[in-house]
Amino acid sequence: GFVRLGSPLGEEPVPLGVGWLFADVTGQKTAEKDGAQVRFRYQQLHRADRAAAECENSLEAATLQLDFALAGFADHALVDLVDDAGRLIRIAATPEGEPGPCRPLPANAVPVGYGTGHPALQAIERLGTVRASLGTQDPAEPESRARTDAWAAARRWPPGTVHGLAAALSSRGRTVGVLHFLDRQSTRLNS
């Protein structure tokens, strides 16, 4: 806004100039953006709950929930369940290429075989979530792309993955598996 500047000591009002007043609206705009994102996610999960209630089996309901949860959050999702021997078996995944719907994998899946310190194993150990990030990479550089793919392959994640969030899945007091949310170059996972 503008304010006219004048002297109260003069007999006649003499303009001395104009002052500008500024207000920082960054906090307000950030709060509006965050609020819109929370509302969008809430609406997505509400719709997912209604759709999952119509599913006949639990795996179909879980993958449907993931399809709704991925929108505006991550590019890919993976679901690993703990088998009777305590190993993690991948039972559902989104396609490795472009983002798509999460689908169950064939029933004859083999153990994933994560290495020591993998975010999935840490999530199970902590009974919570674990983030992993390669950091910012320039996708135009061939060396950067190779480093990104090697990092993702070492974690048994789709090529191009640079950010991951592994969350332990629990049911009735015991850990039943791990859910992975994975992101590619363009965005960063939000909590």
Side-chain angles (χ1 to χ4, degrees):
F2 296 99
V3 176
R4 277 180 83 171
L5 300 176
S7 172
L9 302 175
E11 293 179 16
E12 293 183 23
V14 177
L16 297 175
V18 177
W20 288 13
L21 300 176
F22 294 96
D24 185 7
V25 294
T26 307
Q28 178 185 352
K29 294 294 182 183
T30 302
E32 288 174 5
K33 179 183 165 197
D34 291 346
Q37 188 176 39
V38 167
R39 282 190 302 279
F40 172 76
R41 287 187 183 157
Y42 174 77
Q43 290 170 350
Q44 283 291 94
L45 293 176
H46 181 69
R47 283 188 287 208
D49 289 342
R50 287 187 291 158
E54 301 297 321
C55 295
E56 293 187 19
N57 71 40
S58 58
L59 182 55
E60 181 185 355
T63 56
L64 182 65
Q65 284 271 3
L66 281 176
D67 291 341
F68 279 95
L70 284 173
F73 182 69
D75 293 325
H76 296 288
L78 308 171
V79 180
D80 299 335
L81 284 187
V82 177
D83 69 358
D84 295 336
R87 302 171 301 184
L88 287 170
I89 307 285
R90 181 145 310 144
I91 63 160
T94 54
E96 281 196 12
E98 290 300 313
C102 189
R103 296 290 174 245
L105 297 176
N108 58 352
V110 295
V112 183
Y114 294 126
T116 305
H118 190 280
L121 301 177
Q122 291 178 17
I124 288 175
E125 184 181 309
R126 298 177 188 175
L127 296 174
T129 60
V130 176
R131 288 182 189 216
S133 182
L134 177 61
T136 56
Q137 300 291 314
D138 183 4
E141 291 182 27
E143 182 182 300
S144 175
R145 177 66 181 185
R147 186 171 41 250
T148 299
D149 289 346
W151 185 83
R155 283 152 187 79
R156 309 285 197 273
W157 291 341
T161 301
V162 293
H163 307 292
L165 177 72
L169 299 173
S170 298
S171 175
R172 297 183 180 145
R174 68 182 188 100
T175 303
V176 296
V178 178
L179 173 62
H180 305 260
F181 287 107
L182 308 172
D183 230 3
R184 303 187 80 156
Q185 296 285 118
S186 60
T187 57
R188 185 166 182 95
L189 288 173
N190 301 315
S191 56

